[in-house]
């Protein structure tokens, strides 16, 4: 019943939040100025820095998200595959700090 919706920079937001839910850009049809995996890692490290206890994150299925999650010091609680179209799927990953 209580929630706060915010839009901001994934790699540099600050604040004390119970959870974060996001769908990261694939970098295919969207403009990303840096390597998307660097963006993903910066986001995951920012989660830990802000002591976000739980996050639900949408990664493209081609991303090496398990390695990035490990590098950031987070743990995967659950993961699901969501088929989008053709050969494109999304990994929905529940993370814990």
């Amino acid at each position: 019943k209580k929630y706060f919706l915010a839009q901001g920079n994934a790699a540099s937001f600050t604040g004390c939040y119970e959870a974060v839910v996001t769908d990261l850009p694939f970098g295919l049809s969207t403009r990303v100025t840096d390597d998307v995996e660097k963006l993903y890692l910066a986001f995951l490290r920012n989660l830990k820095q802000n002591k976000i206890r739980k996050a639900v994150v949408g990664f493209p299925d081609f991303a090496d998200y398990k390695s990035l999650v490990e590098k950031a010091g987070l743990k995967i609680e659950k993961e699901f595959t969501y088929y989008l179209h053709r050969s494109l799927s999304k990994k929905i990953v529940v993370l814990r700090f």
Side-chain angles (χ1 to χ4, degrees):
K1 293 183 179 184
K2 284 186 162 185
Y3 67 91
F4 173 74
L5 182 62
Q7 181 178 349
N9 185 317
S12 63
F13 74 87
T14 59
C16 182
Y17 304 104
E18 185 177 329
V20 169
V21 179
T22 191
D23 184 16
L24 297 172
F26 281 37
L28 299 175
S29 298
T30 53
R31 185 173 183 272
V32 178
T33 58
D34 205 349
D35 176 36
V36 291
E37 293 215 353
K38 286 182 184 177
L39 171 66
Y40 301 161
L41 184 57
F43 164 69
L44 295 169
R45 287 182 171 155
N46 195 33
L47 286 176
K48 187 164 184 179
Q49 180 179 343
N50 281 284
K51 297 181 177 140
I52 307 296
R53 295 258 174 231
K54 190 170 193 171
V56 180
V57 182
F59 289 98
D61 64 349
F62 57 80
D64 184 13
Y65 65 92
K66 289 182 182 183
S67 172
L68 296 170
V69 168
E70 184 178 324
K71 284 180 187 176
L74 302 170
K75 295 193 187 310
I76 296 175
E77 185 175 288
K78 294 180 184 178
E79 56 187 299
F80 310 90
T81 301
Y82 180 75
Y83 172 76
L84 295 169
H85 60 85
R86 295 186 198 146
S87 63
L88 190 59
S89 295
K90 179 180 301 258
K91 295 293 186 175
I92 308 298
V93 184
V94 180
L95 302 172
R96 284 233 179 238
F97 171 55

